Amino acid sequence: MAATVILCGGIAAMHVDFSRHSEKIRAIQHALYNHEFVLFYQPLLNAAGQISGAEALLRWQEPGKEMVPPSEFIPDAQRAGLMPAVGEWVIDNALSALAAWQRDPAMAHLTISVNITVDHLMKADFVERLIHLADVRSVAPSRVKLELTESVFASDIETVVAKMHALAAAGFRFSLDDFGTGFSSLNYLRRLPLEQIKIDRSFISGATEGPKGAVIAMNIARMGLELKLEVLAEGIETAEQWLLMQGFGCTAFQGFYFSRPLSYSDFRLFAHRNSPGQQNGVAAEVSQ
Ligand code: C2E
Ligand code: MG
Ligand code: MG
């Protein structure tokens, strides 16, 4: 009797889990087809504190509700096999934004960085679709940076390397995101057409918390530089972190210290205020 009750309870719990999961999947599909996804843009800066590009960051804005961050729905979308569709929406919208910036003299120098999940990258037609979308939107692939995380190296590495080379040959650029936190990919650094590594935020905060943290951050930066990669410090929150990471040779920066991710129109204002032609760029603003 007791066993039957436990078994029934287990099945009921599984049923609740399953229907919650299918509800989430339906909601994500609904969001995709009803324009509830929105891109925010976080400024990327050079060593002079001038804006050099943006990272496109996805949010979910259901009418009348709070904006939902990507960590709360991307894992579900991935489990449901919806990330290729969501990712394609992100790429298309990010490229449309880039096309508009290319027509604006104050923004024409900007690049756009887009996060790519491994299941999307591994779609058979990923390379062709990306080249096609850049062509349709009339954007230069050299202004598009594809951010991969070390998790891609846990999948079929030969296919990943081949796809990266095909896209690099078409002019796209690659950045290794959250560097140092994931699968140990050091061996693959030699084989990948990477242009940039992004040192994960945890190392940046660690760098100003004690001598060991500083040594780790310094050596990650040094390794990137010696491999002739651009080294971007992610998650800069204080002037101290910015100065320290500049001292370690980083030449690109991103973080709340400069700006949080911004809506399309706020990003445009930010870029106009901080373009290289402006004397009062972010460097001047944040050092006050
Ligand atoms: P990520 O690619 O490493 O993006 C940087 C994340 O760090 C963003 O969070 C950004 O808001 C946050 N961040 C930037 N500067 C600071 C800082 O100074 N302090 C702190 N505490 N946080 C900072 P967000 O937008 O919530 O995105 C989280 C993650 O979700 C991203 O990490 C990325 O892995 C994923 N993601 C976001 N948009 C997309 C997308 O369009 N496609 C895919 N596949 N993944 C995405
Ligand atoms: Mg990223
Ligand atoms: Mg990151």
Side-chain angles (χ1 to χ4, degrees):
M1 176 67 177
T4 315
V5 171
I6 290 168
L7 190 63
C8 289
I11 290 171
M14 266 167 64
H15 180 72
V16 169
D17 265 6
F18 180 75
S19 47
R20 251 191 227 134
H21 186 59
S22 0
E23 235 170 71
K24 270 190 181 167
I25 295 171
R26 266 197 303 277
I28 293 169
Q29 280 168 331
H30 181 271
L32 191 56
Y33 298 113
N34 290 278
H35 315 290
E36 291 177 2
F37 285 132
V38 54
L39 285 185
F40 269 48
Y41 301 89
Q42 189 175 25
L44 309 179
L45 298 111
N46 63 22
Q50 293 161 334
I51 186 165
S52 60
E55 176 172 6
L57 294 162
L58 186 60
R59 271 97 184 94
W60 182 356
Q61 179 67 80
E62 274 186 85
K65 292 200 180 164
E66 294 261 302
M67 190 122 67
V68 184
S71 55
E72 284 180 29
F73 62 87
I74 285 184
D76 287 315
Q78 238 175 329
R79 268 194 295 278
L82 292 173
M83 251 345 255
V86 174
E88 177 142 331
W89 181 91
V90 169
I91 291 174
D92 195 30
N93 281 268
L95 296 187
S96 298
L98 182 66
W101 301 345
Q102 283 183 356
R103 293 190 292 271
D104 177 342
M107 300 177 82
H109 64 292
L110 300 181
T111 59
I112 188 112
S113 296
V114 182
N115 295 284
I116 307 290
T117 54
V118 65
D119 42 333
H120 190 191
L121 179 74
M122 293 311 261
K123 281 274 285 184
D125 61 352
F126 180 82
V127 171
E128 291 73 23
R129 290 291 304 158
L130 192 53
I131 293 172
H132 170 74
L133 289 173
D135 194 38
V136 168
R137 297 289 174 202
S138 303
V139 297
S142 61
R143 299 228 169 268
V144 182
K145 259 183 215 169
L146 305 172
E147 292 196 5
L148 302 176
T149 60
E150 291 162 295
S151 65
V152 298
F153 305 114
S155 60
D156 173 4
I157 186 68
E158 294 309 325
T159 306
V160 170
V161 171
K163 285 181 183 241
M164 287 178 74
H165 278 286
L167 286 166
F172 292 94
R173 293 147 80 181
F174 285 96
S175 176
L176 199 52
D177 202 0
D178 307 339
F179 186 73
T181 57
F183 188 80
S184 170
S185 60
L186 296 182
N187 228 354
Y188 298 118
L189 285 178
R190 291 180 294 132
R191 297 180 55 201
L192 303 177
L194 285 174
E195 185 196 74
Q196 180 186 69
I197 56 170
K198 297 182 82 171
I199 305 183
D200 187 67
R201 191 170 84 222
S202 54
F203 298 112
I204 308 304
S205 54
T208 47
E209 277 164 13
K212 286 187 183 167
V215 168
I216 293 170
M218 180 181 74
N219 280 291
I220 296 176
R222 182 175 291 170
M223 185 177 67
L225 294 171
E226 289 188 0
L227 289 167
K228 306 280 182 275
L229 298 169
E230 178 181 69
V231 182
L232 182 148
E234 274 194 286
I236 299 277
E237 291 184 344
T238 65
E240 189 191 3
Q241 290 169 352
W242 187 30
L243 281 176
L244 191 65
M245 296 316 294
Q246 282 191 59
F248 292 163
C250 294
T251 54
F253 306 89
Q254 175 178 4
F256 292 176
Y257 180 59
F258 309 105
S259 170
R260 287 179 178 261
L262 300 169
S263 68
Y264 181 85
S265 51
D266 286 345
F267 176 76
R268 196 174 162 277
L269 287 177
F270 184 96
H272 274 251
R273 278 209 327 269
N274 298 294
S275 66
Q278 299 288 321
Q279 291 307 303
N280 56 341
V282 185
E285 236 168 70
V286 293
S287 60
Q288 279 164 17

